[in-house]
Amino acid sequence: MDKPFVHFIKLHKDIYLFDVNTNMICKINKRIFEYFTGNGEREVLSADDVLIIENMRKCSMLQPNKIEKLEHPMTEIVEDILENNMTKLTMQVTQNCNFRCDYCVYSGSYHNRIHNNKRMDWETAKTALDFLCNHSKNSAEINISFYGGEPLLEMELIKKCVDYARRIFKRKQLAFNLTTNASLLTDDIILYMKKENFQLTISLDGPPEVHDKNRTFSDGKRGTYDIVIDKIKKINEIAQELLEHITLNAVLDDENDFALINQYFTNEPIVKHMIVSTNYINDVNRKDKIERGNARNYVEICNEKFVGMMYLLDRVPRESVPKLVVREVADIREIVYKRSISEQVMQKEAHPGGPCMPGVQRPFVNAYGKLFPCERVNETCEEMCIGNIYDGFDIDKVKKLLNVGKITEEICKNCWAFNFCTQCAVTADNGKKITPVVRLEKCNKVRSHVENLFKDYIVLKECGCDFSKVF
């Protein structure tokens, strides 16, 4: 008997079988578990067990691993999509900043990149916008984001870009985004952002003692909380409608008290009604690796996630769910509940989840006019550069990043979390090039995260959760 491509999840005293080919999950008893994990002797099975297994096979479950080659299904059409179907572009208008946040990729805490005076000139910006226009002929909606460094250092350039974009994209629905530390917002800029209907992402990590720990002015001494919160208050004062278009971005440092941060975003009057997104300090290419092991924070996060799960079960109101765990709880629905279930066995050619389509989802152009898959990549790594706005995309590089799983092909082909992998080329970068060693270092963490999502989903499902509820 060919070995079925399955993974077993033990939850308390129960055992669940996850079928990798079909993405189906079913509860099994100990006898069936022993049958598949032992020597496959049918003597351990009862007549009902045999019937259960037969029914599973009728649904195409319990088939062997058919993957022979790693090849992303979009590989052959990515060039056509990039030619006429781009919808967005993130523009790095400067590599300078008036802050020195410890965990910024330009802070000096990471290999290769530091803040400098390089700025995007108008000719580069104009060429970038023309490039987007020429590669978006079939797109009805266009999104342009301004990024840094601190983009507000180049406000005049941003205004020129907005005016020019409105001219060349006049028949398309146009949207603008800007990621900022907010310190340079003036009354005029705030009103301009309101008039042009900008979406803003403002960096705010929590109360003063938390925010100021990592976010200082360029002198490295003065904290920045007061000026950031004053600017948010000013927006509330003169352009209150703009608050609905702002997302606060909080970087979670495990050395800080999660409960304190959570209380702040829940209770602080000026921010408690605002959307908050969270992410942990990026450890890719960091000189000093981040150690995450704060037991107190772990317990607190688990407690708050439990509240979010109680909301999904209609046990508590929506307003009881802490903002800082909304995404983690929502992932149960978005990743597991919404997974694609099929009775078709996985194709012989496939690729693990994780990589986006470079140049399509979040294309990024730096101040020099070089193109990258997104703003998160290491732009000093030559393998990450997928072309430039003058010569166009390097399709061979695009396809290589899209198929990054090939560098660990044999291991990936046999991984039970194949369809749920979150690793892209960014997580395989050692600071100079993409390597299998760096990619494999993160595999156990990815698999553990996916299995925990499955466990949460199983518990909620058995408790009668209505997964149609959204946050």
Side-chain angles (χ1 to χ4, degrees):
M1 180 184 70
D2 289 331
K3 185 178 180 180
F5 197 12
V6 298
H7 175 67
F8 298 99
I9 300 172
K10 293 185 177 181
L11 187 57
H12 308 300
K13 296 181 180 180
D14 296 325
I15 305 172
Y16 295 82
L17 181 149
F18 168 63
D19 187 81
V20 182
N21 281 304
T22 63
N23 276 341
M24 296 183 187
I25 305 171
C26 65
K27 188 175 182 179
I28 60 173
N29 58 42
K30 188 175 181 181
R31 294 186 304 275
I32 295 177
F33 171 73
E34 290 176 347
Y35 172 71
F36 285 117
T37 57
N39 56 15
E41 294 180 356
R42 293 176 68 93
E43 286 77 8
V44 302
L45 301 174
S46 69
D48 287 341
D49 297 336
V50 173
L51 182 60
I52 291 171
I53 292 174
E54 289 178 353
N55 286 332
M56 291 168 70
R57 289 199 169 109
K58 287 179 181 179
C59 295
S60 297
M61 296 177 70
L62 307 181
Q63 298 298 307
N65 185 352
K66 299 289 187 179
I67 304 173
E68 296 179 358
K69 177 185 176 182
L70 289 195
E71 187 77 19
H72 198 285
M74 306 300 286
T75 302
E76 294 306 315
I77 65 172
V78 65
E79 185 172 4
D80 290 336
I81 293 175
L82 290 175
E83 185 63 29
N84 294 302
N85 295 279
M86 287 184 67
T87 61
K88 60 185 66 175
L89 186 66
T90 298
M91 302 174 63
Q92 183 191 63
V93 293
T94 179
Q95 293 185 350
N96 204 354
C97 186
N98 59 329
F99 281 15
R100 288 298 181 270
C101 304
D102 177 69
Y103 39 65
C104 174
V105 293
Y106 293 96
S107 65
S109 298
Y110 294 79
H111 293 290
N112 301 326
R113 290 187 282 185
I114 58 173
H115 285 297
N116 60 75
N117 292 323
K118 178 61 183 176
R119 57 183 292 273
M120 182 178 284
D121 58 38
W122 167 240
E123 287 305 313
T124 303
K126 180 178 180 295
T127 303
L129 293 170
D130 287 337
F131 179 87
L132 177 60
C133 184
N134 292 333
H135 288 77
S136 61
K137 295 181 179 66
N138 296 335
S139 303
E141 299 178 1
I142 297 296
N143 185 290
I144 299 170
S145 298
F146 299 100
Y147 197 78
E150 172 48 54
L152 291 183
L153 288 169
E154 300 296 334
M155 192 60 211
E156 292 308 309
L157 176 64
I158 291 172
K159 288 181 177 179
K160 289 184 71 173
C161 288
V162 170
D163 289 343
Y164 186 67
R166 292 212 179 278
R167 292 203 301 273
I168 64 175
F169 294 109
K170 57 186 176 182
R171 295 181 180 177
K172 300 182 185 291
Q173 185 174 335
L174 191 58
F176 299 103
N177 297 72
L178 185 137
T179 300
T180 177
N181 61 37
S183 64
L184 300 177
L185 287 172
T186 63
D187 290 9
D188 287 344
I189 293 175
I190 291 171
L191 294 174
Y192 175 82
M193 294 293 168
K194 175 187 173 183
K195 178 176 75 72
E196 296 294 348
N197 204 30
F198 264 71
Q199 297 285 332
L200 302 183
T201 298
I202 295 178
S203 303
L204 179 66
D205 290 347
E209 59 269 40
V210 171
H211 181 91
D212 289 344
K213 176 178 177 290
N214 290 312
R215 295 188 183 274
T216 64
F217 282 104
S218 55
D219 59 13
K221 299 176 182 179
R222 295 174 296 145
T224 60
Y225 174 84
D226 288 342
I227 192 169
V228 174
I229 206 68
D230 283 348
K231 297 300 183 180
I232 294 175
K233 289 178 179 178
K234 176 58 72 171
I235 294 172
N236 185 55
E237 178 185 329
I238 68 172
Q240 194 173 51
E241 302 95 322
L242 187 58
L243 291 178
E244 298 178 4
H245 300 272
I246 294 176
T247 297
L248 301 177
N249 178 50
V251 177
L252 301 179
D253 183 343
D254 207 30
E255 294 182 1
N256 292 325
D257 186 343
F258 177 86
L260 179 66
I261 301 170
N262 187 42
Q263 290 169 9
Y264 173 83
F265 284 111
T266 301
N267 300 319
E268 178 62 28
I270 191 62
V271 302
K272 68 179 184 179
H273 298 298
M274 300 178 71
I275 298 171
V276 182
S277 69
T278 61
N279 55 280
Y280 286 92
I281 297 176
N282 177 24
D283 61 359
V284 177
N285 297 322
R286 190 174 173 91
K287 295 176 182 178
D288 300 320
K289 293 299 180 183
I290 303 296
E291 298 295 333
R292 298 192 180 103
N294 188 321
R296 181 178 176 182
N297 280 348
Y298 176 76
V299 171
E300 186 67 27
I301 292 171
C302 287
N303 288 338
E304 299 300 354
K305 282 179 62 179
F306 178 76
V307 176
M309 293 170 73
M310 288 297 98
Y311 161 71
L312 293 177
L313 293 171
D314 288 323
R315 308 290 175 82
V316 299
R318 169 64 182 85
E319 54 268 22
S320 299
V321 182
K323 295 179 181 180
L324 302 190
V325 299
V326 165
R327 187 175 68 178
E328 293 190 52
V329 178
D331 278 349
I332 303 170
R333 176 180 182 269
E334 298 302 315
I335 296 175
V336 186
Y337 170 70
K338 287 187 175 182
R339 71 193 187 281
S340 176
I341 297 176
S342 172
E343 293 189 5
Q344 298 295 319
V345 176
M346 195 177 295
Q347 301 297 310
K348 291 182 179 181
E349 292 187 6
H351 193 280
C356 68
M357 195 180 301
V360 178
Q361 268 83 355
R362 293 166 61 182
F364 173 70
V365 56
N366 74 357
Y368 297 90
K370 290 185 175 182
L371 292 164
F372 298 87
C374 71
E375 74 281 359
R376 293 178 59 236
V377 307
N378 173 14
E379 64 202 75
T380 64
C381 176
E382 187 56 34
E383 289 184 80
M384 291 292 186
C385 180
I386 56 174
N388 61 70
I389 56 176
Y390 309 103
D391 304 314
F393 288 108
D394 185 327
I395 299 301
D396 289 338
K397 282 190 173 182
V398 169
K399 291 181 178 181
K400 182 177 179 180
L401 296 184
L402 184 62
N403 287 278
V404 66
K406 285 181 177 290
I407 66 174
T408 51
E409 183 160 3
E410 291 308 310
I411 294 175
C412 288
K413 284 193 300 188
N414 296 291
C415 179
W416 71 265
F418 187 92
N419 292 322
F420 299 89
C421 182
T422 57
Q423 291 208 65
C424 64
V426 171
T427 56
D429 178 14
N430 72 355
K432 297 180 180 179
K433 62 180 181 179
I434 298 169
T435 70
V437 173
V438 176
R439 178 175 168 85
L440 292 175
E441 284 176 351
K442 301 170 178 65
C443 289
N444 285 337
K445 181 179 178 181
V446 170
R447 282 190 287 263
S448 176
H449 174 67
V450 174
E451 180 157 317
N452 286 333
L453 285 176
F454 271 66
K455 289 179 177 179
D456 290 340
Y457 166 76
I458 290 168
V459 170
L460 287 168
K461 188 172 187 294
E462 294 201 344
C463 290
C465 177
D466 177 9
F467 286 101
S468 64
K469 295 183 67 174
V470 295
F471 285 98

